[in-house]
């Protein structure tokens, strides 16, 4: 199949390129805009208690006051607010209400702090649009107007709350995307220049993947609108890295094999056909593993991950199609001039470093497997200290952003939970009016819960069937202590509810507790499903039921090592209270899926060497010698591009960038180069049972080759050692 694809593309390169350009223009021109949502509650399905509480609030208290923005006032000299200051605050609050800013429904004064140094203005916005860009726009205008109204006074005013956090998160995301995009571009350009010493080859993947990126983003926007998925600003940053990182990987796989065919004496166009034929199955299988792993996120209960899965799968799918059609068409059209001005592509270097590593694996496979396995196991110990944090807002922007400053100052000036109180809604189950005489006792029991600062009944709906009890926790809403406390509040709220009533606990801490439960559900569902589907792909590729087991086990060890290292770096060394709650899920999918890419490339080359008549140990050594440089170059570029996420300046993308880049380094330089080939050498022919795909004369296609394996003198030993060897 891949030979037919290669033949069609190489014989009609102009038509292939024109088809891509037409498709790109049509998709980009007609694609809807990609929406964004930063409202954590929208990530959860309606079956969770916090969402039931929010729905009950909308029905029972449709006009209930829930601040979306909070203006925090303090004197510029840090002293206590004077009577004149209080008048200025009242004036600013009144004036803001008269501005009739879009989305703003009510502006009211808030309580002063106990020390008299702070006071608040509370702003209610349309709850139907919580987390949407229009509320971020409203927060921007509110912030500008409040500062303008405070001019000429002794007041310093800052805007916080969920709408202001959405605004700051949006601005931070744009800055992060720019830094990640520039960093990714520079890393790929410089690394390819070092590898090939050919400017065309350095620039070409950036141009082609840029085109693929436009197509992928358009398709993602269509899918998001068609299936009503939630979007989040962090996805854009991840997409940049996935498209350029994975796209460059597939570009390298193809170019290295194209160069090998040219060195073997093939005519240029035939060389490209052979390259697509030989690496097509490896690229398709690798992309298939990534796509399936990403699609497994559809099983997640979190809207954020449900959106991320299909989006990344579409991006990788578009990259795969480009790798099999667009890239071969363009390169075959240019021909060997693509390597200009370097002439080193015509001659095969000795590649002594990887040859020596290959001989080491061949001679001592047991020692290699034990040492590399121990490295992974030791790093995995760090997973025992893993803790999750749920503050997506502060995790996705620097602490210096205004809304984060407000959040920190409010925690010090007020009860830490005052900025995001917990609400307990007591509702009649039979439609009868609630017995108000029971309210005082119920509120007392809620107030006695460990971790609660205060609890009081604040309102009853018109029908008298639902009462709202406001519970202020002693801790900031996203902390572990607050999440544990809200769990105890739930227990008491449910058990102490009078007969004929039921209680639902809402608020941010309740949402975070449900997110925690949802993530734990995903660990039990997404992880095994993704692993099983990847094993099926490996089994089909290798025609074996043995190899997939130890290949997926090695990738599992790589995941443990990556999470352990991330815990040590961010929790132990940098003092983070925990890692972002979705990090293990994302890391698992990236490390497992993309890490499998390198295992596939290495094991496919090992099979090719075995089919040439070599014994298992020799085949493993030769596979490392020949495929090792390709894995090293691809792994280095992909890890470096993911590491650019650390430039974004927020803990979410910093943790994600480190974890995924470290995981790829482990996958490329530990698993694929040493652990996998050494295990395969030790297991021997049994690794390929029942297909015996390693035996000479076994029919096969793609990465393993169709027909006999190339002679030693025809092999590509160049792919490049980033540490110094050039091809």
């Amino acid at each position: 199949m891949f030979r037919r694809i290669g033949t069609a593309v190489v014989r009609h390169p102009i038509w292939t390129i024109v088809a891509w350009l037409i498709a790109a223009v049509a998709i980009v021109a007609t694609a809807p805009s990609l929406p964004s949502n930063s409202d954590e509650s929208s990530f959860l399905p309606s079956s969770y208690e916090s969402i039931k509480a929010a729905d009950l609030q909308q029905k029972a208290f449709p006009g209930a006051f829930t601040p979306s923005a909070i203006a925090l006032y303090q004197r510029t000299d840090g002293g206590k607010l004077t009577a004149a200051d209080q008048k200025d605050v009242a004036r600013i609050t009144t004036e803001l209400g008269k501005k009739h800013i879009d989305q703003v429904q009510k502006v009211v004064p808030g309580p002063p702090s106990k020390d008299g140094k702070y006071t608040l203005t509370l702003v209610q916005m349309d709850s139907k649009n919580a987390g949407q860009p229009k509320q971020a726009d409203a927060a921007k205008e509110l912030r500008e107007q409040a500062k303008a109204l405070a001019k000429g006074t002794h007041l310093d005013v800052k805007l916080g709350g969920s709408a202001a956090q959405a605004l700051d998160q949006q601005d931070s995301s744009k800055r992060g995307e720019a830094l990640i995009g520039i960093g990714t571009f520079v890393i790929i350009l410089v690394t390819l220049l070092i590898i090939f010493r050919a400017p065309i080859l350095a620039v070409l993947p950036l141009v082609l993947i840029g085109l693929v990126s436009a197509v992928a983003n358009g398709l993602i926007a269509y899918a998001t609108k068609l299936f009503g998925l939630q979007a989040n600003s962090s996805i854009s940053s991840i997409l940049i890295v996935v498209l350029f990182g994975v796209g460059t990987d597939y570009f390298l796989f193809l170019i290295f094999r194209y160069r090998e065919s040219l060195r073997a004496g093939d005519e240029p166009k035939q060389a490209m056909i052979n390259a697509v034929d030989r690496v097509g199955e490896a690229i398709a299988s690798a992309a298939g593993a990534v796509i399936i792993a990403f699609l497994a996120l559809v099983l997640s209960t979190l809207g954020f991950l449900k959106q991320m899965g299909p989006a990344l799968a579409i991006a990788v799918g578009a990259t795969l199609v480009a790798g099999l059609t667009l890239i071969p068409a363009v390169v075959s059209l240019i021909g060997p001039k693509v390597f200009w001005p370097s002439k080193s592509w015509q001659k095969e270097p000795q590649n002594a470093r990887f040859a020596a590593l290959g001989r080491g694996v061949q001679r001592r496979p047991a020692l290699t497997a034990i040492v590399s396995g121990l490295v992974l196991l030791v790093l995995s110990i760090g997973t025992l200290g893993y803790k999750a944090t749920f503050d997506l807002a502060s995790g996705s922007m620097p602490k210096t952003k205004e809304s984060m400053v407000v959040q920190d100052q409010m925690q010090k000036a007020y009860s830490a939970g005052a900025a995001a109180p917990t609400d307990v809604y007591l509702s009649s189950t039979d439609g009868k009016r609630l017995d108000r005489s029971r309210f005082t006792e119920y509120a007392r029991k809620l107030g006695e819960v460990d971790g609660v600062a205060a609890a009081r009944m604040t309102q009853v709906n018109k029908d008298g069937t639902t009462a709202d009890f406001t519970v202020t926790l002693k801790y900031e809403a996203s902390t572990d202590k607050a999440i544990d406390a809200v769990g105890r509040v739930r227990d008491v709220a449910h058990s102490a509810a009078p007969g004929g009533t039921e209680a639902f606990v809402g608020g941010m801490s309740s949402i975070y507790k449900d997110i925690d439960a949802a993530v734990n559900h995903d660990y039990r569902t997404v992880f095994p499903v993704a692993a099983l589907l990847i094993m099926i792909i490996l089994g089909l590729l290798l025609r074996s039921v043995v190899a997939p087991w130890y290949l997926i086990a090695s990738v599992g060890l790589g995941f443990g090592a990556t999470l352990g290292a991330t815990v040590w770096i961010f929790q132990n060394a940098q003092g983070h209270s925990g890692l972002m709650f979705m990090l293990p899920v994302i890391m698992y999918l990236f490390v497992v899926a993309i890490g499998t890419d390198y295992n596939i490339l290495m094991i496919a080359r090992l099979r090719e060497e075995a089919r040439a008549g070599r014994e298992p140990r020799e085949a493993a050594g030769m596979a490392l010698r020949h495929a090792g440089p390709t894995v090293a170059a691809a792994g280095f570029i992909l890890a470096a591009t993911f590491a650019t996420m650390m430039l974004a300046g927020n803990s979410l993308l910093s943790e994600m960038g480190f974890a995924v880049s470290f995981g790829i380094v482990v996958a490329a330089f530990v698993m694929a180069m040493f652990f996998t080939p050494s295990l395969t050498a030790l297991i021997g022919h049994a690794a390929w049972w029942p297909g015996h795909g390693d035996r000479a004369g076994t029919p096969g296609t793609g990465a393993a080759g169709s027909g006999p394996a190339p002679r030693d003198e025809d092999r590509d030993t160049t792919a490049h050692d980033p540490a110094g060897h050039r091809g």
Side-chain angles (χ1 to χ4, degrees), residues 170 208 419 422 488:
Q170 189 180 86
L208 297 181
T422 296
R488 294 190 290 271

Side-chain angles (χ1 to χ4, degrees), residues 2 14 69 149 159 181 299 308 316 338 340 390 406 418 497 541 628 678 719:
F2 296 103
I14 299 294
L149 290 168
L159 193 75
L299 299 174
M308 180 181 287
V316 175
V338 76
W340 178 89
F390 297 88
V406 170
L541 169 67
S678 61

Side-chain angles (χ1 to χ4, degrees), residues 68-69 125 131 135-140 142 159-168:
S68 298
M125 295 186 187
Q135 292 206 350
D137 295 339
K140 184 177 182 180
L142 273 170
L159 193 75
S162 58
Q165 287 176 353
L167 171 64
D168 291 340

Side-chain angles (χ1 to χ4, degrees), residues 86-286:
Q86 296 286 4
K87 286 183 180 180
D88 286 329
V89 171
R91 175 183 57 81
I92 293 170
T93 301
T94 303
E95 290 294 323
L96 284 176
K98 292 178 179 179
K99 297 289 183 182
H100 300 296
I101 297 170
D102 181 45
Q103 296 297 306
V104 173
Q105 296 178 331
K106 195 181 296 183
V107 182
V108 300
S113 62
K114 292 180 181 178
D115 60 11
K117 292 183 177 181
Y118 298 88
T119 192
L120 308 171
T121 291
L122 307 177
V123 181
Q124 179 177 325
M125 295 186 187
D126 187 353
S127 61
K128 295 177 182 177
N129 296 318
Q132 297 296 330
K134 59 178 68 177
Q135 292 206 350
D137 295 339
K140 184 177 182 180
E141 188 172 352
L142 273 170
R143 182 175 285 170
E144 292 171 352
Q145 294 288 356
K147 291 183 186 299
L149 290 168
K151 279 186 178 179
T153 71
H154 296 288
L155 295 172
D156 175 47
V157 56
K158 295 183 178 70
L159 193 75
S162 58
Q165 287 176 353
L167 171 64
D168 291 340
Q169 187 177 355
Q170 189 180 86
D171 293 340
S172 179
S173 177
K174 288 178 182 176
R175 175 182 173 275
E177 282 181 37
L179 288 172
I180 290 169
I182 293 169
T184 300
F185 184 91
V186 170
I187 286 169
I188 293 175
L189 185 67
V190 172
T191 308
L192 291 179
L193 277 172
I194 293 172
I195 292 174
F196 295 110
R197 292 179 289 177
I200 297 176
L201 273 180
V203 173
L204 192 59
L206 295 171
V207 174
L208 297 181
I209 298 167
L211 177 64
V212 176
S213 175
V215 172
N217 275 293
L219 293 175
I220 289 166
Y222 273 120
T224 301
K225 185 175 181 180
L226 181 64
F227 297 106
L229 301 171
Q230 298 290 348
N232 185 275
S233 53
S234 297
I235 292 176
S236 300
S237 302
I238 299 169
L239 272 175
I240 293 170
V241 178
V242 169
L243 282 162
F244 281 89
V246 174
T248 304
D249 263 11
Y250 298 163
F251 180 84
L252 286 173
F253 292 174
L254 188 71
I255 292 299
F256 284 147
R257 207 68 191 224
Y258 174 59
R259 187 172 60 181
E260 175 181 352
S261 294
L262 288 174
R263 285 172 175 165
D266 290 344
E267 182 270 331
K269 289 191 179 298
Q270 188 60 44
M272 180 53 72
I273 293 173
N274 291 340
V276 175
D277 178 36
R278 287 193 173 276
V279 299
E281 186 180 24
I283 291 176
S285 300

